[in-house]
Amino acid sequence: MRYFTTIFALMVIVAVTTGCVSDEVQGAKISGNIGASLGSSGENQTDSQKISWTVSIANTGVKTAKNVTAYVILPPGIVSRLNAHDKSRALGDLKPEGWAGFKGNATFNASGLSKQDIMACEPLVKIKVIWTEDGILNEEIFPDEAIE
């Protein structure tokens, strides 16, 4: 009986201590959603291509993410050919359950590149998000989800 009581007591201790661990998200939790497309830049130049993107950044955590800034990351093969580029966007503070979004584009010289060469650079757009929480600088990089 004593052996059974000891085992039962250990099971209760394990159940109580593991039950006290919270699954609640602590702090800010930043997530990102990116949609991008590739096409003609609209200029009457067949060698000029345009990447357009739409970005949504959300905070699903329990603390405010302060001074949130999103930086656009393009593949090196495209960066070296850029004509114009929206590099970053200051989004301000993101409160819990808050979100911010923005659109941007980049035009580049695609002479000598086939569409397959360009698409081999997937994802065409990544976003690096930087924010401050409790005085600590945090960052996350989000890949492109879909190329239209």
Side-chain angles (χ1 to χ4, degrees), residues 53 70-73 82 85-89 105:
W53 55 84
Y71 296 89
V72 177
I73 303 170
L82 284 175
H85 176 217
D86 297 335
K87 295 179 184 176
S88 66
R89 183 72 53 108
N105 60 67

Side-chain angles (χ1 to χ4, degrees), residues 65-112:
K66 297 187 181 223
N67 302 317
V68 179
T69 302
Y71 296 89
V72 177
I73 303 170
L74 299 172
I78 291 175
V79 170
S80 64
R81 297 168 167 265
L82 284 175
N83 298 328
H85 176 217
D86 297 335
K87 295 179 184 176
S88 66
R89 183 72 53 108
L91 303 175
D93 295 346
L94 282 181
K95 294 182 180 184
E97 301 305 321
W99 71 276
F102 64 95
K103 295 180 179 186
N105 60 67
T107 57
F108 64 98
N109 181 346
S111 63

Side-chain angles (χ1 to χ4, degrees), residues 104-118:
N105 60 67
T107 57
F108 64 98
N109 181 346
S111 63
L113 294 176
S114 68
K115 188 155 187 154
Q116 290 79 16
D117 292 336
I118 297 168

Side-chain angles (χ1 to χ4, degrees), residues 16-57:
V16 168
T17 57
T18 58
C20 292
V21 176
S22 173
D23 289 334
E24 182 180 321
V25 175
Q26 300 297 316
K29 184 176 180 186
I30 302 298
S31 61
N33 186 13
I34 307 163
S37 63
L38 174 68
S40 166
S41 68
E43 301 167 5
N44 290 325
Q45 300 176 16
T46 57
D47 291 337
S48 185
Q49 291 289 305
K50 178 178 175 181
I51 301 171
S52 298
W53 55 84
T54 301
V55 177
S56 295
I57 305 295

